């Protein structure tokens, strides 16, 4: 999720959301448009000689293979994009099935202010009113970041005991997880290195530390995490042994799944950043955790309908391989930015909820271990909460009254 908690943030979201692909696409479109504009200006100016010369060069036998390559590249770039857009739009159409509402297993990522002293009792009471009647059960509270060697200074979450006690008192049944993460050294020299056994051992000790300090579970977000990383699976095995022995849940934030088979490999070869995971790798991760929350935002989709169709596709891909006993949560964008990789008017909570419900109804209507995860509390607007309540529903027959 990026430099991302705007100070204490998710790690890698900005770098890992398709900006490179979008930049390349934009650059290509600009080049094409610029060429066309230049050609038009030249001909308008009466430079027919240049136009004739260009035509003769294009017809030259020596350019036969370069022309074929250029046309092939155009087909490879334009046809999949057009076909994909149509497929996403179709995926966003249809009737939402009854029974595709909250199961009471939803989560929200909360910022660092909840554990460093900035939030007070009045803030918690207001938050309790905000989530009253919703399906929110789990709070992923930012308690890191981890040091690059996997250790965690306890001073980073000095007010955690207050928060945990207050949540248990004010919002019974809601669990407080320590959200831990760091930038991985997968695409640069600095960061946490999962290939080091000592670092992984420190991460496990940090998880034990936050559980000892009273957290109800531990949630990890390590980015950018490349598909197929076996060291991550080894870490999850060790963390799972710890949390199972303690009777606590282990959850993780997951990358999106390849929209097309092998797309992460193509992105990695072209940009150095393989944004997606393969579906098989996603399945390996899902089998090792109690909750897996898909970061289904920062997609670079330009239209709300395409974003909703993309979320529907991601939900289906995840449902197909997530064990029935694992909570699968689809991320909702509770933040508002306009930048490469994210367009506020396209990536809306309403579109994400609709896409999620459409896919749930088509793929696994009666699945109980399912929900949504809201990113992030401090950037949310009231319209996001309204779209969540109205679209995803409540745990009671009454409306989601804020009290």
């Amino acid at each position: 999720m990026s430099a991302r908690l705007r100070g204490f943030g998710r790690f890698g979201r900005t770098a890992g959301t398709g900006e490179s692909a979008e930049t390349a696409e934009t650059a290509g479109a600009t080049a094409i448009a610029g060429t066309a504009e230049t050609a038009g200006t030249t001909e308008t100016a009466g430079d027919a000689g240049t136009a004739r010369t260009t035509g003769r060069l294009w017809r030259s036998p020596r350019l036969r293979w370069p022309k074929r390559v250029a046309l092939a590249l155009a087909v490879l770039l334009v046809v999949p994009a057009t076909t994909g857009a149509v497929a996403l739009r179709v995926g966003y159409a249809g009737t939402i099935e009854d029974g595709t509402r909250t199961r009471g297993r939803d989560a929200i990522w909360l910022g660092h202010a909840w554990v460093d002293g900035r939030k007070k009792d009045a803030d918690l009471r207001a938050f309790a009113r905000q989530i009253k009647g919703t399906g929110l059960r789990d709070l992923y509270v930012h308690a890191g970041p981890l040091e690059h060697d996997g250790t965690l200074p306890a001073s980073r979450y000095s007010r955690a005991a207050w928060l945990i006690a207050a949540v248990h008192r004010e919002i019974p049944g809601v669990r407080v997880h320590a959200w831990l993460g760091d930038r991985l050294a997968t695409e640069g020299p600095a960061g946490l290195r999962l290939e080091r056994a000592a670092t992984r051992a420190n991460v496990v000790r940090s998880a034990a530390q936050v559980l000892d300090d009273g957290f109800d579970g531990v949630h990890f977000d390590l980015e950018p995490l490349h598909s197929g990383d076996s060291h991550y699976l080894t870490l999850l095995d060790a963390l799972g042994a710890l949390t199972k022995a303690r009777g606590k849940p282990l959850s993780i934030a997951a990358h999106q799944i390849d929209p097309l088979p092998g797309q992460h490999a193509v992105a990695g070869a072209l940009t150095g950043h393989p944004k997606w995971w393969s579906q098989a790798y996603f399945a390996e991760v899902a089998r090792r955790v109690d909750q897996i929350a898909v970061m289904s935002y920062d997609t670079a989709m330009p239209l709300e309908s395409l974003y909703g169709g993309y979320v529907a596709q991601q939900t289906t891909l995840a449902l197909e391989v997530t064990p029935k006993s694992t909570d699968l949560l689809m991320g909702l964008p509770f933040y508002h930015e306009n930048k490469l990789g994210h367009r506020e008017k396209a990536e809306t909570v309403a579109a994400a909820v609709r896409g999620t419900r459409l896919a749930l109804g088509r793929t696994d209507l009666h699945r109980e271990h399912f929900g949504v995860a809201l990113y992030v509390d401090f950037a949310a607007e009231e319209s996001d909460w309204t779209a969540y309540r109205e679209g995803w529903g409540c745990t009671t027959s009454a409306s989601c009254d804020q009290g």
Side-chain angles (χ1 to χ4, degrees), residues 8 21 24 56-57 103 132 142 155 186 204 218 227 230 249 254 270 325 335 353 388 401:
F8 280 101
R56 284 196 299 271
L57 285 171
R103 275 85 164 121
K132 180 181 178 181
H142 193 265
S155 58
T186 51
V204 174
V218 60
S227 183
S230 62
L270 293 177
S325 59
Y335 62 99
V353 168
Y388 164 63
D401 180 23

Side-chain angles (χ1 to χ4, degrees), residues 366-380:
H366 301 294
R367 182 187 179 97
E368 283 301 316
H369 288 266
F370 188 84
V372 295
L374 290 44
Y375 179 78
V376 59
D377 73 308
F378 58 80

Side-chain angles (χ1 to χ4, degrees), residues 22 65 91 130 138 248 334 341 398:
E22 182 177 329
W65 282 107
Q130 183 72 270
D138 293 298
K248 303 293 185 180
F334 268 48

Side-chain angles (χ1 to χ4, degrees), residues 94-319:
T95 302
I96 295 176
E97 294 282 349
D98 291 337
T100 53
R101 295 278 187 171
T102 185
R103 275 85 164 121
R105 295 175 181 271
D106 303 337
I108 184 171
W109 284 279
L110 299 181
H112 203 81
W114 289 99
V115 293
D116 68 4
R118 283 176 285 168
K119 294 290 187 179
K120 308 298 182 184
D121 288 335
D123 299 302
L124 184 65
R125 288 192 294 270
F127 178 72
R129 290 193 297 271
Q130 183 72 270
I131 70 171
K132 180 181 178 181
T134 69
L136 282 169
R137 181 187 64 172
D138 293 298
L139 312 180
Y140 302 147
V141 184
H142 193 265
L146 296 167
E147 294 292 314
H148 289 342
D149 65 358
T151 58
L152 177 66
S155 58
R156 291 199 174 145
Y157 54 93
S158 58
R159 288 275 288 164
W162 161 80
L163 176 66
I164 296 166
V167 167
H168 291 169
R169 181 181 68 250
E170 300 288 339
I171 325 173
V174 169
R175 303 183 297 190
V176 183
H177 304 242
W179 164 14
L180 304 179
D182 190 17
R183 177 175 291 279
L184 298 178
T186 51
E187 298 174 11
L192 188 145
R193 296 184 177 275
L194 289 177
E195 68 272 19
R196 295 176 178 172
T199 298
R200 295 197 303 272
N202 284 339
V203 173
V204 174
R205 280 191 286 271
S206 294
Q209 173 184 313
V210 295
L211 294 178
D212 288 341
D213 289 338
F215 281 97
D216 299 314
V218 60
H219 174 83
F220 279 93
D221 175 29
L222 299 169
E223 303 179 43
L225 185 68
H226 293 181
S227 183
D229 190 326
S230 62
H231 302 297
Y232 183 57
L233 300 182
T234 299
L235 173 63
L236 291 180
D237 287 337
L239 289 169
L242 167 71
T243 55
K244 284 182 175 60
R246 301 287 189 94
K248 303 293 185 180
L250 170 64
S251 63
I252 63 104
H255 288 21
Q256 297 159 28
I257 301 172
D258 281 336
L260 297 172
Q263 193 157 344
H264 70 279
V266 174
L270 293 177
T271 70
H273 175 71
K275 168 185 170 68
W276 298 275
W277 287 351
S278 72
Q279 190 182 41
Y281 187 67
F282 185 96
E284 288 289 337
V285 173
R287 283 196 288 270
R288 289 169 164 83
V289 298
D290 300 298
Q291 294 179 328
I292 185 166
V294 183
M295 294 181 284
S296 42
Y297 35 75
D298 286 353
T299 64
M301 291 296 157
L303 300 174
E304 189 174 32
S305 59
L306 297 183
Y307 173 62
Y310 183 84
V311 172
Q313 180 200 48
Q314 288 292 307
T315 304
T316 296
L317 291 170
L319 281 168

